[in-house]
């Protein structure tokens, strides 16, 4: 099949060989005059404006491929806002921040925007997700513009530190906006590859032209609907299970303190979190506040939480009754468990539109891995984190008597 457009959310078969009849992705990028196509491994790939050039700054357009599965480098797409967070390609220790082509591109691109107010010379960026569903596909997620309307210039490209064994190194965390385009005409890419500036082509998407000419972002925003997570979606892989096994060695009381720390890791707007006294908790394990707004223009909601350290038993409707009974109109609630949530209580929460956040065992493991507190290579950090929790629990309960 010969494609004339890239369609948002469409999956294109990827065999890594454009010669195979079933291949779709590689054939799309084989259409240009030089016939060389592009590479399609994860990270930055590009099509050069000049024959033989390997310089990413000569790119006619850029392709970013992500799989959203790297725990230490968690690329994220917020479908509601259209904001895409991408980590650069300096992902191993022992090298300089700008030693990779991808990070060099990020620096130069954001410099063009912020130091030179020049969007005219920025190459369009196409975002794909690498997906394996028995066969390999590339899902087109959209056209990216560097930066975002509500993100300050000092926040859209940040060098973050990571540790690999005993070596510290830096990588970029960058912010992009998916522009509101349902499809991209491949004739636009043809024009760019032939030296036509992106905004000068008659096939240029309107949102790209508006961004370049007026510095106005038109994001592809989506209204998300809450859905019930099946047991399969909450089932842990071996690495996640190993982390939960360590946490299960805590006592029920100690897990309440662990749940409090996990909540802190999920959202900086949660503060003043405290674990209630075990003998007088009135059905609530954790209390605190959730701040919305900015400085003096803010308001604090009441935050409450329930924690269940369970091995196999799932959390069902009756376990939510005490939590729901303690909720008022200005309350946001959290339920944290090492186990999983049944479908019935999830359905009730969605139907009643209750502000209750559910964190299952799989979520706990991933939260800790995202924060470099657990997982392969971070066994020491997890043990230290658990020891601090045990100590806090012991000290707090000694004060209560």
């Amino acid at each position: 099949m010969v494609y004339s457009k890239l369609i948002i959310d469409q999956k294109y078969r990827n065999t890594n060989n454009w010669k195979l009849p079933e291949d779709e992705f590689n054939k799309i990028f084989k259409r240009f005059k030089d016939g060389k196509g592009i590479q399609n491994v994860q990270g930055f790939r590009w099509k050069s404006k000049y024959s033989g050039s390997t310089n990413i700054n000569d790119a006619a357009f850029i392709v970013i491929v992500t799989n959203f599965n790297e725990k230490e480098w968690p690329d994220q797409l917020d479908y509601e806002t259209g904001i895409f967070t991408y980590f650069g390609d300096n992902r191993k220790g022992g090298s300089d921040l700008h030693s990779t082509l991808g990070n060099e591109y990020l620096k130069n691109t954001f410099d063009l925007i912020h130091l030179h107010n020049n969007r005219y010379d920025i190459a369009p960026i196409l975002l794909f997700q690498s997906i394996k569903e028995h066969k390999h596909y590339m899902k087109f997620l959209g056209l990216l513009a560097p930066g975002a309307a509500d993100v300050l210039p000092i926040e859209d490209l940040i060098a973050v530190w990571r540790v690999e064994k005993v070596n510290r190194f830096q990588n970029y965390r960058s912010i992009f906006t998916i522009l509101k385009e349902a499809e991209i005409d491949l004739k636009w890419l043809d024009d760019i590859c032939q030296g036509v500036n992106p905004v000068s082509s008659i096939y240029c998407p309107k949102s790209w032209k508006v961004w370049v000419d007026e510095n106005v972002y038109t994001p592809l925003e989506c209204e998300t609907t809450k859905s019930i997570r099946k047991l399969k979606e909450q089932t842990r892989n071996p690495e996640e299970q190993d982390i939960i096994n360590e946490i299960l060695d805590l006592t029920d009381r100690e897990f309440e303190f662990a749940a409090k720390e996990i909540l802190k890791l999920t959202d900086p707007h949660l503060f003043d979190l405290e674990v209630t006294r075990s003998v007088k908790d009135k059905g609530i394990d954790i209390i605190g506040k959730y701040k919305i707004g900015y400085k003096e223009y803010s308001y604090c909601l009441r935050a409450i939480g329930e924690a269940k350290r369970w091995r196999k038993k799932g959390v069902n409707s009756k376990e939510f009754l005490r939590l729901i009974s303690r909720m008022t109109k200005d309350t946001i609630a959290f339920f944290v468990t090492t186990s999983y949530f049944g479908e019935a209580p999830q359905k009730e929460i969605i139907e009643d539109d209750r502000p209750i956040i559910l964190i299952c065992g799989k979520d706990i493991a991933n939260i800790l891995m995202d924060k470099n507190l657990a997982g392969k290579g971070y066994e020491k950090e997890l043990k230290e984190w658990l020891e601090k929790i045990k100590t806090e629990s012991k000290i707090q309960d000694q004060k209560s008597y």
Side-chain angles (χ1 to χ4, degrees), residues 47-61:
K47 185 70 178 175
S48 179
K49 291 182 286 189
Y50 311 110
S51 178
S53 174
T54 58
N55 190 336
I56 192 170
N57 296 308
D58 293 335
F61 64 87

Side-chain angles (χ1 to χ4, degrees), residues 77-293:
L77 174 56
D78 187 328
Y79 285 90
E80 290 189 73
T81 63
I83 301 301
F84 174 60
T85 302
Y86 180 75
F87 286 89
D89 51 10
N90 188 41
R91 301 188 172 194
K92 298 291 183 181
S95 56
D96 180 75
L97 175 62
H98 300 120
S99 62
T100 63
L101 291 170
N103 278 15
E104 179 187 353
Y105 159 77
L106 287 173
K107 180 184 183 301
N108 292 340
T109 295
F110 283 89
D111 279 352
L112 276 175
I113 297 172
H114 300 315
L115 298 183
H116 307 291
N117 193 28
N118 177 6
R119 293 172 296 281
Y120 188 79
D121 292 327
I122 291 177
I125 308 147
L126 307 172
L127 177 62
F128 286 86
Q129 179 183 2
S130 178
I131 298 175
K132 290 186 178 179
E133 299 172 341
H134 304 297
K135 297 179 180 180
H136 189 196
Y137 295 89
M138 292 291 194
K139 181 180 179 182
F140 181 55
L141 298 180
L143 173 64
L144 295 177
D150 298 325
V151 177
L152 296 174
I154 60 173
E155 297 175 341
D156 57 12
L157 184 66
I158 298 175
V160 296
W161 286 98
R162 285 290 188 272
V163 178
E164 185 179 64
K165 296 182 179 178
V166 296
N167 296 317
R168 292 188 298 170
F169 66 102
Q170 287 181 298
N171 192 19
Y172 276 131
R173 181 180 65 216
S174 55
I175 301 295
F176 293 85
T177 298
I178 291 189
L179 298 179
K180 191 177 182 179
E181 298 293 339
E183 58 188 31
I184 302 298
D185 196 321
L186 292 177
K187 292 179 181 177
W188 184 43
L189 304 184
D190 284 331
D191 281 354
I192 299 171
C193 289
Q194 294 177 46
V196 178
N197 187 277
V199 296
S200 299
S201 170
I202 62 173
Y203 304 105
C204 178
K206 180 180 178 181
S207 61
W208 182 266
K209 185 171 179 57
V210 168
W211 175 70
V212 171
D213 291 342
E214 304 174 29
N215 193 25
V216 174
Y217 292 88
T218 311
L220 179 61
E221 299 173 327
C222 302
E223 183 176 343
T224 57
T225 56
K226 296 179 180 179
S227 59
I228 295 173
R229 285 198 291 176
K230 306 290 185 180
L231 176 59
K232 182 178 179 181
E233 297 173 272
Q234 300 178 70
T235 301
R236 300 180 285 272
N237 63 35
E239 184 178 19
E240 294 163 345
Q241 185 61 55
D242 287 343
I243 295 169
I244 294 304
N245 288 341
E246 294 285 340
I247 293 174
L248 286 169
D249 285 341
L250 298 173
T251 66
D252 288 344
R253 180 61 173 165
E254 289 168 344
F255 179 67
E256 293 176 3
F257 286 84
K260 181 195 71 170
E261 296 303 315
I262 289 164
L263 292 181
K264 286 182 180 179
L265 295 173
T266 63
D267 197 325
H269 297 96
L270 280 165
F271 68 105
D272 282 354
L273 291 179
E274 296 180 4
V275 175
T276 58
R277 291 181 60 185
S278 58
V279 293
K280 294 182 179 181
D281 65 11
K282 297 182 179 179
I284 301 300
D285 299 322
I286 303 164
I287 58 173
K289 299 175 183 177
Y290 189 90
K291 183 178 181 179
I292 56 175

